[in-house]
Amino acid sequence: QITDELRHTQTMASLRPADRIIIYLGAVFTENCVANNEISTYAPVLRALASSTIQQRHLIAAFEWLCGTHYTSKLKFFPILLKQLLDEELVEEDVFLSWAGDFTRNEYSAEQSMVCLDTLEQLKLSAQPFITWLQEAEEEGESSDDGEEEEEESSGDSEEA
């Protein structure tokens, strides 16, 4: 029902479909969103709003707006919110890595009138430790997968002997 109402509001106001998420965040997230773990609280609706890769990019963009414009005091908490999005499985790791490698302002970003380029750059910079952690975890996962394959091959060789 909430997503239907958001779709109706977005359509009637001639806004982009991506703006549904911004409307929702602006309506329900408070300035205490980190302390209150509001991502977890609202995860079911966020999941419905961001079920595809493109929508997950829009979800990240909506949090850029939330931290960079709506609650500027939350700019420093942006990486924590990204981690919460990951923990709640609302945004996939690959989507975060794609976002990190993309231009600061791109087709997924909130409108220029909503978040300025300098703010987007600050947010991306503040998220760099989170992105580095993701990249390192992915590399460790790949190297442990390689190690498991080598162990399987060597144990297979000993069984043949």
Side-chain angles (χ1 to χ4, degrees):
Q1 182 178 341
I2 292 172
T3 55
D4 290 341
E5 185 60 33
L6 288 168
R7 185 175 297 110
H8 176 74
T9 301
Q10 168 258 315
T11 303
M12 296 307 293
S14 299
L15 299 171
R16 304 174 316 152
D19 293 335
R20 268 182 238 154
I21 299 172
I22 292 174
I23 293 166
Y24 183 71
L25 293 186
V28 300
F29 275 69
T30 67
E31 199 155 5
N32 296 321
C33 60
V34 176
N36 294 342
N37 198 11
E38 292 177 4
I39 288 177
S40 181
T41 302
Y42 301 116
V45 176
L46 294 173
R47 192 168 286 107
L49 290 170
S51 58
S52 73
T53 300
I54 291 171
Q55 291 168 330
Q56 289 176 25
R57 287 290 300 263
H58 290 302
L59 183 59
I60 295 169
F63 276 95
E64 288 174 330
W65 168 80
L66 186 80
C67 296
T69 303
H70 195 58
Y71 296 125
T72 55
S73 65
K74 296 299 162 210
L75 193 136
K76 63 185 173 193
F77 295 105
F78 182 62
I80 295 168
L81 291 167
L82 295 181
K83 175 73 166 68
Q84 289 176 350
L85 290 172
L86 178 70
D87 290 346
E88 290 294 329
E89 299 179 354
L90 295 169
V91 178
E92 297 168 11
E93 287 180 32
D94 291 346
V95 175
F96 282 120
L97 296 174
S98 173
W99 166 79
D102 209 345
F103 292 106
T104 301
R105 180 167 302 285
N106 54 61
E107 69 268 23
Y108 304 106
S109 301
E111 294 294 323
Q112 191 166 350
S113 62
M114 296 176 75
V115 183
C116 72
L117 183 60
D118 288 345
T119 301
L120 288 174
E121 288 173 350
Q122 281 182 302
L123 289 163
K124 209 161 226 183
L125 187 61
S126 76
Q128 194 53 52
F130 169 71
I131 297 301
T132 301
W133 173 78
L134 273 180
Q135 290 168 333
E136 289 172 355
E138 184 178 56
E139 288 169 8
E140 284 179 22
E142 287 173 4
S143 66
S144 70
D145 289 346
D146 292 344
E148 287 173 14
E149 288 173 14
E150 289 172 14
E151 284 178 26
E152 288 172 11
E153 288 173 10
S154 65
S155 66
D157 291 344
S158 62
E159 289 173 14
E160 291 173 11

